[in-house]
Every structure is written in structure tokens, then in C-alpha cells.
Amino acid sequence: MPIKKSTTKAAATEAVKTTTEEKKTEAVTAAESVKTAKTTEKKQPVKRAAAKKAVAEKKAAAKPAAKAAEAKKCVYVQCMGSEYKVEDIENSVKKAWMDETGKKESDIKEMQIYIKPEENAAYYVINKEYKEGGNKVDL
């Protein structure tokens, strides 16, 4: 019987070793799953990139609507058998102002034009600069 005891002790020792090895394997497996979780966490910026892409797509979708709102316009003034295109009058006023002051078109901050078809003229005030008698452009 002493042989059986030593076999039982050896089996018990073997069982303890096996249990210890299993615990080590479980610990390694747990460590690997933690590493995998950290790697997965690092991949979250990809989701942010997808969110940024979605926002960019929404903005791009909004741009055509803005372009559609900017329809080409052409305004005419008709009076006493004459017709005047407002865009041409604006260009004449800008040119006259630049010739008069020596400034650039980009210096214009505010422009007011008063069209008087009965006088065949347009009076203007640019950047609230008014001179006595008014600034006049013939149509």
C-alpha cells in the first residue's frame, strides 16, 4: 500500500501542476483578451472618421441647395419708351466712381443708386460719400 500512497501523492502533485498550468494559461488568455480590447479601442478613430465623412456629406448636400437659390437675375427699368439694364447702370456707376476717386472697386462697401429715367440719369452715393449736387451718371 505504500506504493499507492506515493502514486496518489504523485497524482496529487501532478493535479496541482496541471491546475497551476491551467491558471497560467487562463491568465495568458485573459492578458491576450485585454490586448485585443485595447487594440479594438484604438480602432475607434475610424468611427470618428466615418462620422466626419457623414458631416461632410451633409454639407455637400446643402451646397447645391444654396447654388439653386442663387439664380441668375437680370433687372430692367422701362420708362417712356426706353429700357435700361440695372447691371449696366451699376457698372457705369462703379467705373465713374473709380475714375473720380482713384480708388479700387474692392474699396466699395456700400452703394446706393437712384435711377431717374425722366432725366436719363442715375445718381449715386458710395460709402456714404456725398458731394453737393450729387454724383451723376448719364444713362
Side-chain angles (χ1 to χ4, degrees):
M1 289 224 180
I3 296 175
K4 288 184 180 179
K5 286 183 181 178
S6 62
T7 308
T8 308
K9 285 182 183 179
T13 306
E14 190 67 34
V16 170
K17 286 181 183 178
T18 306
T19 307
T20 307
E21 287 177 10
E22 287 175 1
K23 287 181 182 178
K24 286 181 183 178
T25 305
E26 288 175 9
V28 169
T29 306
E32 288 176 358
S33 63
V34 168
K35 286 181 184 177
T36 305
K38 286 182 181 179
T39 306
T40 306
E41 288 176 8
K42 290 180 183 178
K43 292 183 181 179
Q44 286 180 350
V46 174
K47 292 180 182 178
R48 290 181 186 161
K52 287 181 182 179
K53 185 177 178 182
V55 169
E57 288 174 356
K58 287 180 182 178
K59 286 182 181 179
K63 286 182 181 180
K67 288 183 180 179
E70 296 176 19
K72 187 174 179 176
K73 63 180 179 179
C74 190
V75 181
Y76 294 93
V77 175
Q78 293 180 335
C79 183
M80 296 184 283
S82 297
E83 181 177 278
Y84 308 102
K85 188 174 179 181
V86 173
E87 183 179 349
D88 292 340
I89 296 170
E90 286 178 12
N91 291 335
S92 297
V93 166
K94 288 177 184 178
K95 185 177 185 295
W97 181 77
M98 289 187 293
D99 291 343
E100 184 181 310
T101 62
K103 295 181 181 179
K104 298 177 185 176
E105 185 177 343
S106 61
D107 294 332
I108 297 174
K109 304 295 181 211
E110 182 180 341
M111 180 169 60
Q112 298 169 337
I113 301 173
Y114 304 91
I115 301 171
K116 293 191 79 175
E118 65 273 9
E119 293 182 16
N120 197 28
Y123 295 89
Y124 63 92
V125 177
I126 295 179
N127 296 338
K128 297 182 182 182
E129 295 173 5
Y130 176 78
K131 72 176 189 180
E132 195 169 324
N135 299 323
K136 178 181 172 182
V137 173
D138 292 326
L139 301 178

